[in-house]
Amino acid sequence: MTTDQMEGFRHTLMALAAGLIVLVASVYLLREFAGLIQQIVTAVFLTYLLNPIRQWLTDKGLPTWLAITVTLSGLGLTILMLAAVLQVGLADLSTKMPQYLGILNDKLQRWSESERLPGAIREGLAAMLADDRPLLERNLGLVRSALETGFKLVSNAVVVVIYLIFLMAESGGLRRRIDEAMTPERASETRRVLSEINQAVSGYLWVKTFVSAIVGVATTLTAHWYQLDDPLVWGMLAFFLNFVPYLGSLVAIVLPTMLALIKFDTTGPAIQIALILFVVHNVVGYVVEPILTGRRLDLSPSLVIISLGFWAWVWGPVGMVLAVPLMSVIKIIMQHMDATKGAATLMSN
């Protein structure tokens, strides 16, 4: 190996080592300061979602401060209404939970004795029933985790709104500050990248909100048709879960199906509900949403799954919701850097 080759190899190793150090440090900071960074990133993406409304109000002649006030007031009222409906529904479900668990326990007992089920399943059910603790107590950790997540989201919402107010107020003067801080060529390139990010992320969030609303309405109507308790709760859960790629749809189908298994004496209604919701989620996810989004994000499905797992590990449920728009922003930035254009191409669908 020549001296030049050795030198090139050494530089390559140093670059890889530096990249690995930066990656490890970035992941550490993302996890160590998760609360703060989550709030800021959530506020940034909400700014992408709300800025078109604020801009429309400004174009209609409202002062900027009034347009921001009206936009945020509308957001606050919507969140309060959804929270009130969800709280009432969840309170009703919690009072019925002992009854549900009693019925489920009886059904598990019958299934464990049924000769129509495979022996392995019957043995598993028998082992489950051998535990004398109530079902709720066995899953107390999951219940506690869900409640803690809910309280954390509510407490973070106030801080997110504060960030959101400042971000929306500052967004109007961003173009001027970029022009003042950079050379004309650099400023033009920066504005182009920001414009591309804005169009991709804003478009994705609006389309995702629209199709999630379709899924939520369809789930509510299905639950109401089959007389499941608190259909609005299942619709709202389906709406929020639809923001989580792949896994959210699965959970949104399984939960009402499980309730139908408990509520009805036969498995027919549960199977029908599962089929209806499966069709709804697949038509919306694989037909309606791609038509509306086109190739705006153009992310590999494998990359989406990997990023979903990574951001869930880093930030939990919030990371799962933000995974796709975050990867979209990273991909767009990489497309405009010579050193990472090839990697950005590999990230495409």
Side-chain angles (χ1 to χ4, degrees), residues 44-55 171 174 190-207 296-297 325 328-329 332-333 336:
V44 169
F45 285 128
L46 282 175
T47 304
Y48 279 117
L49 187 65
L50 298 176
N51 253 342
I53 300 175
R54 192 266 305 167
Q55 186 62 50
S171 62
L174 181 61
T190 301
R191 288 199 305 272
R192 189 160 67 88
V193 174
L194 290 176
S195 176
E196 191 173 337
I197 292 174
N198 181 66
Q199 291 177 6
V201 175
S202 179
Y204 167 79
L205 291 175
W206 273 107
V207 168
R296 187 176 283 113
L297 294 183
S328 176
V329 171
I332 292 171
I333 294 174
H336 290 83

Side-chain angles (χ1 to χ4, degrees), residues 135-149:
L135 287 173
L136 183 61
E137 183 180 336
R138 296 180 218 170
N139 297 280
L140 198 57
L142 293 175
V143 174
R144 186 181 294 112
S145 177
L147 290 174
E148 289 176 354
T149 301

Side-chain angles (χ1 to χ4, degrees), residues 236-312:
M236 290 177 62
L237 288 176
F239 170 81
F240 290 115
L241 287 169
N242 196 60
F243 282 89
V244 179
Y246 306 118
L247 296 179
S249 296
L250 178 63
V251 175
I253 294 171
V254 168
L255 289 179
T257 301
M258 289 180 61
L259 180 61
L261 279 173
I262 296 172
K263 183 178 178 65
F264 299 106
D265 294 330
T266 63
T267 58
I271 295 173
Q272 294 169 22
I273 289 172
L275 288 175
I276 292 171
L277 296 182
F278 177 80
V279 170
V280 168
H281 280 271
N282 278 272
V283 169
V284 169
Y286 294 103
V287 179
V288 178
E289 189 171 339
I291 290 175
L292 294 177
T293 58
R295 299 183 66 81
R296 187 176 283 113
L297 294 183
D298 191 23
L299 290 173
S300 164
S302 299
L303 176 65
V304 171
I305 291 294
I306 294 171
S307 65
L308 190 65
F310 172 77
W311 289 109

Side-chain angles (χ1 to χ4, degrees), residues 1-13:
M1 183 178 291
T2 65
T3 303
D4 290 340
Q5 289 176 329
M6 287 291 294
E7 188 69 17
F9 182 68
R10 188 173 67 85
H11 283 303
T12 301
L13 285 180

Side-chain angles (χ1 to χ4, degrees), residues 86-99:
L86 191 60
Q87 182 181 11
V88 172
L90 290 176
D92 181 61
L93 285 174
S94 65
T95 58
K96 297 174 181 175
M97 189 61 66
Q99 177 186 352

